[in-house]
Amino acid sequence: MTRIRGIVERVTYQNEENGYTVARFKPDGKGAGLVTVVGNALPMSAGEFLALEGEWTSHTQYGRQFKIDSYEKVRPATAEGMKRYLGSGLIKGVGPVTATRIVDHFGTDTLQVIEDEPRRLSEIPGLGAKRVSLIMKAWQEQKEIHNVMLFLQSHQVGTGHAVKIWKRYGQEALQAIEVNPYRLATDVWGIGFQTADQIARKMGVEMHSEQRILAGIRYVLETSGEKGGHVYLPRRELVQTCAESLEVPGEMIESSIDGLAARDEAVLEAERVYLPPLFYSEKGTATRIHQLSSIQRIETGDIQQEIASIEKRDGMIFARLQKVALEKALSNSLLVLTGGPGTGKTTTIKGLLALLEARGKVVALAAPTGRAAKRMSQATDREAKTIHRLLKFNPSDMAFEKNFENPLEADAIIVDEVSMVDVVLMNSLLRAIPISSTLVLVGDVDQLPSVGPGNVLKDIITSGVAEVVGLNEIFRQAQTSSIVMNAHTILAGEFPDLRRDRESDFFLLEDEDPSQVCEVIAELCKTRLPRTYGVDPLEDIQVLTPMYRGDTGATNLNGVLQNVLNPSGKEFQRGGSRFRVGDKVMQVRNNYDKDVFNGDMGRIESIDDDAQVLAVRFPDKQVEYESAELDEIDLSYAITVHKSQGSEYRIVVLPLTTQHFVMLQRNLLYTAITRARDLVVIVGSRKALSIAIRNNQVSERYSSLPERIRMSDYS
């Protein structure tokens, strides 16, 4: 076994799930050059001093590397080493500049001073009492976090996860993990069952232990909802999946499912197995939809005359089905309004607003995301809120203030982009709808379903209980748009019109090679589209892609586009990710404390090296992220089509190659092109386009909502 000692120059790659790291390392000794070190369970950051044990290997592609078997952190002995160590970002409040000033003042006694006489830091000009206290606290936390890291090091947990574990449990972290390592999967965002299971197994938890099997069943149910959109799983399928993934007999899974139900951690209904929140959300949604659908209103006055007056006053002309929708909205407690692009959903909403306000009604407007709410506000010239803000989410108790006991104070509530709403959020919304109010749900049922569990809009329509108006006439002004016409053509399973002329707003740039597609997209975003259409590449152009992986997936495209659209400037590195001031980013999870939600997009406004804080400017606020929180945001020069739901962009650039084969589906293609207002540019192959159009097999989601809505005892 060989032992080397030195400093981490930079971390090239770091997998937060399993701790696998690739780094450039400078061994001690004059003339020693940089070497590549690789290994698992290596929570390291640039600037750290390490003593490594392992062996030299030769990689066929990357050459000579040092493969790490074990390591320990050591403190630097030289002044230069101390500057690098303190300025590496390990200590919040100390960046490279401050580190240099401290070491220049105290020399090689620096670490001893910080450890034993930290108040002396106030001797440094510019370091006041508040800043010194911040550094002292961070130094102490770093020591305690290090103890957690030492424990987790052999369990293949990376730095980011170790910090999160520390922030969740504090000094009780080790005790909490030792008592039940599987709680990490539910308590700490970003640590899934597999990582928790890895830790548990190395701690001696038996493969057949009840603790492991119960956690595994919960994991499979949670994953089926988060990734598959299922509200429940059939018992047989759950048993089979768990038996295979946990490698335990099906009989043990069967008895553990019953055990979960006995502890009220699962709900069994016939052969369906639910997590309790999803069961009660589905049941509550069905109850309220049936109740609202059963209420008919007797309207007085001449509705047709009122509609004619609004047409004359506002210069609008309503088609037959739009008038039907307006009438039904006034005579029913619940109306579902659907239709594709160009069919007049927005005009109908504006007409309904005018009708209701003319009658003195209070109307609330809402949408699932901030971007969708903003679009609704712009279209109606009225305030629209996200559903979370409408219902007044309170992060202190993780609940909505608006509910059955404290309903919304509105005569009518109009909700747009309902295809995005999952069963849990729909239940929360319905709980706050007064039985005396009118609820209008608006959406395009042909778009992708919600990211979360359920297929609520489709299920409500399928139930046959709610009043539904489907707009299907494409208005004359929309017929001039190739985007609108091709969207409907694709929806019908036909190949779009790709005639290229100066007036077209829908193009296919053909290329079969994924790497060439990347180059074309980079050139389009950097030069060709801004020059031709006078648009801002960051504000007006959005690259949408079917998936994350592959040459033309979101991950790779983000790296490519970052380098061409924002190639320089102050940056912050976290594992293998680099964030720069000016970068376009997206929030990828709901963070109720910060009041930002999955899908919110912003720009990086500043990076504070000393505080290790990155600030993002969202449309309505600035939000700060500490180093350990950076897995909550992703670069968003390119995003998946699923993440684009509810949004509208001036220009959409869509890579479409056979590399995306498993995701080439008609509703995904339809959703992507209907995100564009002015221009769609597909870069890829006709073959991939044709595959997507022909593939109309939509993955079915396990949901009992339609039959629950129809059940007579919900009246």
Side-chain angles (χ1 to χ4, degrees):
M1 194 75 70
T2 303
R3 183 179 177 88
I4 60 175
R5 175 186 168 115
I7 186 172
V8 179
E9 286 286 334
R10 68 177 181 274
V11 178
T12 306
Y13 173 78
Q14 197 167 55
N15 186 315
E16 291 292 348
E17 284 294 325
N18 59 26
Y20 182 77
T21 303
V22 179
R24 296 289 281 168
F25 189 79
K26 189 176 189 307
D28 283 348
K30 282 189 176 183
L34 291 177
V35 299
T36 298
V37 297
V38 299
N40 280 23
L42 192 64
M44 61 168 61
S45 299
E48 289 186 297
F49 281 75
L50 305 174
L52 311 176
E53 282 194 354
E55 58 184 16
W56 291 101
T57 62
S58 182
H59 192 281
T60 54
Q61 183 176 353
Y62 301 110
R64 192 167 185 249
Q65 298 178 337
F66 188 81
K67 187 175 181 180
I68 304 155
D69 182 66
S70 64
Y71 80 101
E72 62 178 334
K73 295 185 180 185
V74 294
R75 290 184 177 179
T78 67
E80 186 59 33
M82 289 179 186
K83 290 178 183 178
R84 298 288 300 278
Y85 179 70
L86 290 176
S88 67
L90 292 174
I91 311 300
K92 187 175 180 179
V94 179
V97 175
T98 303
T100 298
R101 289 161 56 200
I102 293 173
V103 176
D104 284 348
H105 186 82
F106 294 115
T108 54
D109 294 330
T110 294
L111 299 184
Q112 183 180 345
V113 169
I114 296 175
E115 183 74 43
D116 300 328
E117 304 175 273
R119 296 290 177 190
R120 288 189 60 195
L121 290 171
S122 60
E123 296 174 16
I124 309 297
L127 288 188
K130 185 176 180 181
R131 184 84 173 277
V132 169
S133 294
L134 176 67
I135 294 171
M136 289 168 59
K137 181 182 177 183
W139 180 263
Q140 183 61 32
E141 282 187 356
Q142 185 60 36
K143 288 169 59 181
E144 291 168 345
I145 289 172
H146 183 64
N147 291 332
V148 176
M149 287 182 175
L150 287 175
F151 173 79
L152 296 173
Q153 168 185 331
S154 61
H155 303 306
Q156 299 182 324
V157 177
T159 310
H161 286 162
V163 172
K164 285 187 171 191
I165 291 169
W166 164 257
K167 291 183 76 170
R168 175 64 178 81
Y169 302 118
Q171 294 181 340
E172 316 225 325
L174 299 185
Q175 180 183 355
I177 297 168
E178 287 171 341
V179 170
N180 181 9
Y182 291 103
R183 67 183 296 186
L184 292 172
T186 52
D187 289 356
V188 184
W189 187 82
I191 296 183
F193 171 81
Q194 292 173 331
T195 300
D197 191 38
Q198 196 173 61
I199 294 170
R201 297 297 307 284
K202 292 203 172 187
M203 289 172 57
V205 176
E206 294 292 333
M207 179 175 283
H208 292 176
S209 75
E210 183 183 34
Q211 186 184 60
R212 178 174 185 265
I213 295 173
L214 292 175
I217 294 170
R218 282 192 296 267
Y219 163 72
V220 170
L221 286 170
E222 287 166 359
T223 303
S224 73
E226 293 168 359
K227 297 185 178 179
H230 300 302
V231 181
Y232 69 87
L233 283 181
R235 182 167 183 142
R236 181 179 296 179
E237 183 175 324
L238 176 61
V239 170
Q240 182 178 346
T241 302
C242 290
E244 291 174 357
S245 60
L246 298 177
E247 299 180 35
V248 298
E251 296 78 16
M252 299 186 74
I253 304 296
E254 288 276 10
S255 61
S256 293
I257 290 173
D258 293 331
L260 274 179
R263 294 159 55 173
D264 294 326
E265 293 181 33
V267 176
L268 308 183
E269 186 183 65
E271 287 301 304
R272 299 187 287 259
V273 185
Y274 294 82
L275 288 172
L278 297 185
F279 174 78
Y280 293 111
S281 291
E282 185 177 84
K283 189 174 180 181
T285 297
T287 301
R288 204 62 165 170
I289 290 294
H290 193 107
Q291 288 174 342
L292 290 170
S293 300
S294 302
I295 300 173
Q296 295 287 319
R297 303 196 187 285
I298 300 174
E299 289 297 326
T300 58
D302 189 339
I303 295 177
Q304 289 298 327
Q305 181 56 47
E306 292 178 55
I307 293 173
S309 297
I310 289 169
E311 287 180 314
K312 184 176 180 180
R313 185 192 71 190
D314 297 338
M316 293 190 288
I317 300 176
F318 298 111
R320 183 185 65 83
L321 283 175
Q322 289 178 309
K323 291 180 180 180
V324 170
L326 295 177
E327 292 176 17
K328 288 185 179 297
L330 294 179
S331 58
N332 291 273
S333 288
L334 174 65
L335 173 69
V336 178
L337 178 66
T338 70
T343 58
K345 294 193 301 295
T346 300
T347 301
T348 308
I349 291 173
K350 291 167 69 174
L352 180 56
L353 263 173
L355 272 175
L356 292 167
E357 289 175 348
R359 292 179 169 218
K361 305 293 186 182
V362 176
V363 185
L365 304 179
T369 67
R371 286 172 292 158
K374 183 178 179 181
R375 285 180 60 200
M376 197 178 188
S377 293
Q378 292 170 339
T380 61
D381 199 27
R382 303 286 193 282
E383 181 187 21
K385 298 178 179 179
T386 63
I387 296 174
H388 281 82
R389 290 193 175 95
L390 179 72
L391 301 183
K392 296 186 177 180
F393 186 83
N394 186 343
S396 62
D397 57 11
M398 295 298 288
F400 292 106
E401 293 180 8
K402 294 295 181 180
N403 48 40
F404 280 135
E405 292 74 31
N406 181 29
L408 292 166
E409 297 173 359
D411 300 304
I413 299 95
I414 304 174
V415 186
D416 200 6
E417 298 289 355
V418 176
S419 63
M420 298 177 64
V421 180
D422 63 33
V423 71
V424 177
L425 185 56
M426 179 57 75
N427 182 51
S428 296
L429 172 65
L430 292 169
R431 284 171 56 84
I433 302 295
I435 203 69
S436 59
S437 294
T438 296
L439 175 62
V440 180
L441 302 177
V442 185
D444 185 346
V445 74
D446 294 308
Q447 286 189 26
L448 290 169
S450 59
V451 174
N455 197 348
V456 176
L457 180 61
K458 181 182 177 183
D459 285 351
I460 292 174
I461 295 171
T462 302
S463 75
V465 172
E467 193 71 63
V468 179
V469 176
L471 303 177
N472 53 27
E473 178 185 345
I474 304 174
F475 285 89
R476 184 175 300 173
Q477 60 267 36
Q479 292 177 14
T480 63
S481 166
S482 296
I483 297 172
V484 171
M485 299 308 293
N486 280 336
H488 287 276
T489 298
I490 287 168
L491 198 56
E494 299 173 7
F495 204 82
D497 182 358
L498 298 176
R499 287 176 294 179
R500 298 180 60 174
D501 57 60
R502 293 175 61 88
E503 303 303 319
S504 179
D505 56 10
F506 194 102
F507 296 99
L508 171 65
L509 303 183
E510 292 190 66
D511 204 309
E512 300 279 350
D513 184 351
S515 61
Q516 284 294 113
V517 169
C518 286
E519 291 184 19
V520 171
I521 289 174
E523 181 63 18
L524 281 168
C525 295
K526 180 183 179 182
T527 307
R528 290 168 62 181
L529 293 174
R531 182 177 60 204
T532 304
Y533 296 94
V535 295
D536 184 311
L538 295 182
E539 296 296 328
D540 300 323
I541 302 172
Q542 184 61 57
V543 177
L544 303 181
T545 180
M547 58 199 303
Y548 284 101
R549 298 178 181 176
D551 293 334
T552 53
T555 302
N556 184 59
L557 279 170
N558 270 316
V560 170
L561 292 170
Q562 182 190 46
N563 287 334
V564 299
L565 298 178
N566 192 27
S568 59
K570 194 169 188 178
E571 70 176 35
F572 195 112
Q573 182 172 350
R574 176 188 174 278
S577 300
R578 294 177 186 271
F579 295 104
R580 296 179 183 137
V581 171
D583 273 341
K584 188 175 175 181
V585 294
M586 172 182 280
Q587 178 78 13
V588 296
R589 65 168 292 230
N590 289 339
N591 187 320
Y592 299 103
D593 292 326
K594 296 182 185 294
D595 195 31
V596 286
F597 301 95
N598 190 356
D600 287 350
M601 293 179 74
R603 298 275 292 277
I604 296 178
E605 198 165 69
S606 65
I607 293 172
D608 187 330
D609 287 327
D610 285 349
Q612 291 291 285
V613 166
L614 181 152
V616 175
R617 169 60 60 184
F618 291 99
D620 58 345
K621 68 176 73 65
Q622 185 190 73
V623 177
E624 292 187 345
Y625 296 83
E626 296 181 6
S627 178
E629 298 173 321
L630 291 183
D631 59 351
E632 293 190 14
I633 58 173
D634 275 344
L635 293 176
S636 61
Y637 298 97
I639 62 175
T640 63
V641 178
H642 282 84
K643 289 288 189 183
S644 74
Q645 288 175 266
S647 300
E648 182 181 73
Y649 314 99
R650 284 192 63 182
I651 297 175
V652 164
V653 178
L654 175 67
L656 211 61
T657 69
T658 52
Q659 194 176 62
H660 298 142
F661 184 81
V662 295
M663 294 297 291
L664 294 178
Q665 297 173 337
R666 188 186 300 172
N667 64 343
L668 184 140
L669 175 61
Y670 172 78
T671 301
I673 64 178
T674 54
R675 300 307 89 209
R677 188 177 79 232
D678 298 337
L679 180 68
V680 169
V681 182
I682 299 175
V683 186
S685 69
R686 284 178 178 264
K687 181 179 179 181
L689 180 57
S690 181
I691 291 171
I693 294 168
R694 291 199 308 269
N695 182 10
N696 197 31
Q697 291 184 338
V698 179
S699 298
E700 291 298 322
R701 297 181 168 197
Y702 290 122
S703 165
S704 298
L705 186 59
E707 62 191 73
R708 285 190 193 280
I709 294 174
R710 288 191 292 263
M711 287 171 65
S712 59
D713 61 343
Y714 282 104
S715 57

